[in-house]
Coordinates of all heavy atoms in Angstrom, one line a residue:
D88 N 120.6 36.2 254.0 CA 121.4 37.4 253.6 C 120.8 38.7 254.2 O 121.5 39.5 254.7 CB 121.6 37.5 252.1 CG 122.3 36.4 251.5 OD1 123.0 35.6 252.2 OD2 122.2 36.2 250.2
F89 N 119.5 38.8 254.0 CA 118.8 40.0 254.5 C 119.0 40.1 256.1 O 119.4 41.1 256.6 CB 117.3 39.9 254.2 CG 116.5 40.9 254.9 CD1 116.5 42.2 254.5 CD2 115.8 40.6 256.1 CE1 115.7 43.2 255.2 CE2 115.1 41.5 256.8 CZ 115.0 42.8 256.4
L90 N 118.8 39.0 256.8 CA 118.9 39.0 258.2 C 120.3 39.4 258.7 O 120.5 40.1 259.7 CB 118.4 37.7 258.8 CG 116.9 37.5 258.7 CD1 116.5 36.1 259.1 CD2 116.1 38.5 259.6
K91 N 121.3 38.9 257.9 CA 122.7 39.2 258.3 C 123.0 40.6 258.3 O 124.0 41.1 258.8 CB 123.6 38.4 257.3 CG 123.7 36.9 257.6 CD 124.6 36.7 258.8 CE 124.9 35.3 259.1 NZ 125.7 34.6 258.1
R92 N 122.2 41.5 257.6 CA 122.4 42.9 257.7 C 122.2 43.4 259.1 O 122.7 44.5 259.4 CB 121.3 43.6 256.8 CG 121.5 43.4 255.3 CD 120.3 44.0 254.6 NE 120.4 43.8 253.1 CZ 120.8 44.8 252.3 NH1 121.2 45.9 252.7 NH2 120.8 44.5 251.0
F93 N 121.4 42.7 259.9 CA 121.0 43.2 261.2 C 121.5 42.4 262.4 O 121.7 42.9 263.5 CB 119.5 43.3 261.3 CG 118.9 44.1 260.2 CD1 118.2 43.4 259.1 CD2 119.0 45.5 260.1 CE1 117.7 44.1 258.1 CE2 118.5 46.1 259.0 CZ 117.8 45.5 258.0
I94 N 121.6 41.1 262.1 CA 122.0 40.2 263.2 C 123.0 39.2 262.8 O 123.1 38.9 261.6 CB 120.7 39.4 263.8 CG1 120.0 38.7 262.7 CG2 119.8 40.3 264.6 CD1 118.8 38.0 263.2
S95 N 123.8 38.6 263.7 CA 124.9 37.8 263.3 C 124.5 36.3 263.1 O 125.1 35.6 262.3 CB 126.1 37.9 264.3 OG 125.6 37.5 265.6
E96 N 123.5 35.9 263.8 CA 123.2 34.5 263.7 C 121.9 34.2 262.9 O 120.9 34.9 263.1 CB 123.0 34.0 265.1 CG 123.2 32.5 265.3 CD 121.9 31.7 265.1 OE1 120.8 32.2 265.1 OE2 122.1 30.4 264.9
C97 N 121.9 33.2 262.1 CA 120.7 32.9 261.3 C 120.9 31.5 260.7 O 122.0 31.2 260.2 CB 120.5 33.9 260.2 SG 119.3 33.4 259.0
S98 N 119.9 30.6 260.9 CA 120.1 29.3 260.3 C 118.8 28.8 259.6 O 117.8 29.5 259.7 CB 120.5 28.3 261.4 OG 119.5 28.2 262.3
V99 N 118.9 27.7 258.9 CA 117.8 27.2 258.1 C 117.4 25.9 258.7 O 118.2 24.9 258.7 CB 118.1 27.0 256.6 CG1 116.8 26.7 255.9 CG2 118.7 28.3 256.0
K100 N 116.2 25.8 259.3 CA 115.8 24.5 259.8 C 115.1 23.8 258.6 O 114.2 24.3 258.0 CB 114.8 24.7 260.9 CG 114.3 23.4 261.5 CD 113.5 23.6 262.8 CE 113.0 22.3 263.3 NZ 111.9 22.5 264.3
W101 N 115.7 22.7 258.3 CA 115.3 22.0 257.1 C 113.8 21.7 257.1 O 113.3 21.4 258.2 CB 116.0 20.6 257.0 CG 115.6 19.8 255.8 CD1 116.1 19.8 254.6 CD2 114.6 18.8 255.9 NE1 115.5 18.9 253.8 CE2 114.6 18.2 254.6 CE3 113.8 18.2 256.8 CZ2 113.7 17.2 254.2 CZ3 112.9 17.2 256.5 CH2 112.9 16.7 255.2
P102 N 113.0 21.9 256.1 CA 113.5 22.3 254.7 C 113.7 23.8 254.6 O 114.7 24.1 253.9 CB 112.5 21.7 253.8 CG 111.2 21.7 254.6 CD 111.6 21.4 256.0
N103 N 112.8 24.6 255.1 CA 113.1 26.0 254.8 C 112.4 27.0 255.8 O 111.8 28.0 255.5 CB 112.7 26.5 253.4 CG 111.3 26.0 253.0 OD1 110.5 25.7 253.8 ND2 111.1 25.9 251.7
D104 N 112.6 26.6 257.1 CA 112.2 27.6 258.2 C 113.5 28.4 258.5 O 114.5 27.8 258.7 CB 111.8 26.8 259.4 CG 110.4 26.3 259.3 OD1 109.7 26.6 258.3 OD2 110.0 25.4 260.2
I105 N 113.3 29.7 258.6 CA 114.5 30.5 259.0 C 114.5 30.7 260.5 O 113.5 31.2 261.0 CB 114.5 31.8 258.2 CG1 114.3 31.5 256.7 CG2 115.8 32.6 258.4 CD1 115.3 30.7 256.0
Y106 N 115.6 30.4 261.1 CA 115.7 30.4 262.5 C 116.7 31.4 263.0 O 117.8 31.6 262.4 CB 116.1 29.0 263.1 CG 114.9 28.2 263.5 CD1 113.8 28.0 262.7 CD2 114.9 27.6 264.7 CE1 112.8 27.3 263.1 CE2 113.8 26.8 265.1 CZ 112.8 26.6 264.3 OH 111.7 25.9 264.7
V107 N 116.4 32.0 264.2 CA 117.5 32.7 264.9 C 117.5 32.0 266.3 O 116.5 31.9 267.0 CB 117.1 34.2 265.1 CG1 118.1 34.9 266.0 CG2 117.0 34.9 263.8
N108 N 118.7 31.5 266.6 CA 118.9 30.6 267.7 C 117.8 29.5 267.6 O 117.8 28.8 266.6 CB 118.8 31.4 269.0 CG 119.9 32.4 269.1 OD1 121.0 32.1 268.8 ND2 119.6 33.6 269.5
N109 N 116.9 29.4 268.6 CA 116.0 28.3 268.5 C 114.6 28.7 268.1 O 113.6 28.0 268.4 CB 115.9 27.5 269.9 CG 117.2 26.7 270.1 OD1 117.6 26.0 269.2 ND2 117.8 27.0 271.2
D110 N 114.4 29.9 267.6 CA 113.1 30.5 267.2 C 113.0 30.8 265.8 O 113.9 31.1 265.1 CB 112.9 31.7 268.1 CG 112.9 31.5 269.6 OD1 112.3 30.5 270.0 OD2 113.6 32.3 270.3
K111 N 111.7 30.7 265.3 CA 111.5 30.8 263.9 C 111.1 32.3 263.6 O 110.1 32.8 264.1 CB 110.3 29.9 263.5 CG 109.9 30.0 262.0 CD 109.0 28.8 261.7 CE 108.3 29.0 260.3 NZ 107.5 27.8 259.9
I112 N 111.9 32.9 262.7 CA 111.7 34.3 262.3 C 111.0 34.4 261.0 O 110.4 35.4 260.7 CB 113.0 35.1 262.4 CG1 112.8 36.6 262.4 CG2 114.0 34.7 261.3 CD1 114.0 37.4 262.8
A113 N 111.1 33.4 260.1 CA 110.5 33.5 258.8 C 110.1 32.1 258.3 O 110.7 31.1 258.6 CB 111.5 34.1 257.8
G114 N 109.0 32.1 257.5 CA 108.5 30.9 256.9 C 108.4 31.1 255.4 O 108.2 32.2 254.9
I115 N 108.7 30.0 254.7 CA 108.7 30.1 253.2 C 107.7 29.0 252.7 O 107.8 27.9 253.1 CB 110.1 29.8 252.7 CG1 111.1 30.9 253.2 CG2 110.2 29.7 251.2 CD1 112.5 30.7 253.0

Side-chain angles (χ1 to χ4, degrees):
D88 293 343
F89 166 80
L90 288 169
K91 283 285 185 67
R92 293 171 178 263
F93 309 104
I94 52 180
S95 55
E96 202 272 345
C97 168
S98 62
V99 186
K100 184 172 175 192
W101 178 87
N103 50 20
D104 284 348
I105 309 301
Y106 265 50
V107 176
N108 300 315
N109 290 309
D110 297 318
K111 178 165 167 176
I112 195 164
I115 295 169

